[in-house]
């Protein structure tokens, strides 16, 4: 997610108020590494980014990440028989254990409830991480020690988690989709970095891949909180129950949510069946939660030439607005990091996107951002 500082100059149409952000899928790990360095704030850590070692997706600020971890190889893997993208009972809980925060999955449709059944404010004291799925099991593909682009207005360390249940045709982080890939960075290295950066960084942003795919994400968020950092999350909305539990537990302060398509067109975009309502359910939950002190959030939609969403994007944005979201970004898909056969440009594409952005901006947002591909 961007800070306005980093990307405002690239926006051909305006950010009206504070919007911006590096999209979960719109900004590849490699691209974001460069951006972090480009703003000149990366310092020593930024200089030791993944780019300095060809082939590395992301490199820890400290010593090179450990080798294959037996624990990490199984972290977040779906239960036997589960299909990619299936959300299992237990969500951010581990192994069917108790919910992380007050209420847990009981709030799947509306946030935490008090003893009297009345809705309670979000951001309670914070849930306890599960002992069954500790942060040390988080499979991490890369770590950006200092990013100005992953959470609007925050200096963050950004953790790229490995694995995603979806397979969007325009995905910029293809390397992060496979599930059974050994971690390149240990959580201990992330913790060490955070410990050294107290007072210098505001936040930790978990992105991917799909960060919520791994149950250990909740424990990692809790540890980041305990170290004094705010927690940001990029999610494609593949796990609405897990997101609900994380929000209810007060473990996330800001969410960048992808709404990629109209519900009926989701399978075309993400390459998986039965995906149509997941992100839209996340949106409804976040709107409702925000009304009770829940996390701020930005909704992002990506368009690519010939993609069904290129036709529907205005309607997607209109429904997002009607649902109550007030921070929105339209972004062009990029070719970098995408599949070799993905085509990100077409005659007249840029102009069409700018016209689309103008129409969407006119819906009226507190913050609107257009992110062109270049
Ligand atoms: S495949 Fe996963 S990581 Fe890639 S754009 Fe889609 S949801 Fe994001």
């Amino acid at each position: 997610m961007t800070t306005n500082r980093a990307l405002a100059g690239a926006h051909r149409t305006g950010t009206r108020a504070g919007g911006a952000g590096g999209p979960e899928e719109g900004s590849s790990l490699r691209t974001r590494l460069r951006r972090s360095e480009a703003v000149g704030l990366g310092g020593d850590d930024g200089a030791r980014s993944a780019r300095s070692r060809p082939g590395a997706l992301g490199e820890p600020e400290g010593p090179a990440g450990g080798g294959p971890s037996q624990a990490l190889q199984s972290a977040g893997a779906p239960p036997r028989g589960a299909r990619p993208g299936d959300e299992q009972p237990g969500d951010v809980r581990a192994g069917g254990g108790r919910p992380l925060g007050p209420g847990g999955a009981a709030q799947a449709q509306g946030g935490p409830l008090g003893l009297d059944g009345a809705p309670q404010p979000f951001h309670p004291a914070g849930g306890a991480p599960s002992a069954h799925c500790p942060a040390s099991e988080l499979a991490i593909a890369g770590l950006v020690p200092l990013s100005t682009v992953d959470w609007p207005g925050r200096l963050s360390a950004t953790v790229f988690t490995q694995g995603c249940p979806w397979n969007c045709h325009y995905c910029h982080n293809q390397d992060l989709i496979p599930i059974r890939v050994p971690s390149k960075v240990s959580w201990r290295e992330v913790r060490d970095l955070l410990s050294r950066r107290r007072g210098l960084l505001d936040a930790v942003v978990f992105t991917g891949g799909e960060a919520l795919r791994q149950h250990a994400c909740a424990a990692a968020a809790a540890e980041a909180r305990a170290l004094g950092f705010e927690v940001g999350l990029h999610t494609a909305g593949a796990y609405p129950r897990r997101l609900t539990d994380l929000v209810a537990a007060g473990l996330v302060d800001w969410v960048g949510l992808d709404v990629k398509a109209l519900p009926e067109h989701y399978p075309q975009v993400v390459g998986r069946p039965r995906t149509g309502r997941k992100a839209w359910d996340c949106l409804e939950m976040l709107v409702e939660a925000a009304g009770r002190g829940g996390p701020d959030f930005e909704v992002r939609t990506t368009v690519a030439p010939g993609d069904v969403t290129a036709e529907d994007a205005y309607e997607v944005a209109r429904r997002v607005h009607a649902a109550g979201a007030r921070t929105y970004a339209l972004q062009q898909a990029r070719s970098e990091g995408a599949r070799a056969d993905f085509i990100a440009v077409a005659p007249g594409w840029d102009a069409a996107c700018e016209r689309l952005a103008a129409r969407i901006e006119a819906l009226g947002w507190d913050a609107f951002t257009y992110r062109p591909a270049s």
Side-chain angles (χ1 to χ4, degrees), residues 269-347:
V269 174
V270 305
R272 300 285 185 253
R274 298 177 293 280
T275 47
R277 285 298 318 171
K278 291 177 183 288
W280 290 92
D281 287 349
C282 289
L283 172 60
E284 290 178 12
M285 184 277 293
L286 287 172
V287 169
E288 196 277 338
R292 291 190 282 121
D296 293 333
F297 66 95
E298 176 192 82
V299 176
R300 300 87 60 86
T301 300
T302 299
V303 290
D307 182 83
V308 64
T309 303
E311 301 294 323
D312 296 335
Y314 180 80
E315 179 61 13
V316 171
R318 191 194 67 76
R319 292 192 200 180
V320 167
H321 188 274
R326 289 297 174 265
T327 302
Y328 188 78
L330 177 73
Q331 52 206 24
Q332 283 184 326
R334 301 186 182 100
S335 58
E336 183 182 18
R339 298 191 308 226
D341 62 349
F342 172 66
I343 299 173
V345 295

Side-chain angles (χ1 to χ4, degrees), residues 155-179:
L155 298 177
S156 70
T158 302
V159 176
F160 288 81
T161 60
Q162 182 68 46
C164 180
W166 291 353
N167 187 23
C168 306
H169 67 93
Y170 53 67
C171 180
H172 288 210
N173 282 324
Q174 288 285 318
D175 294 338
L176 303 191
I177 294 177
I179 290 174

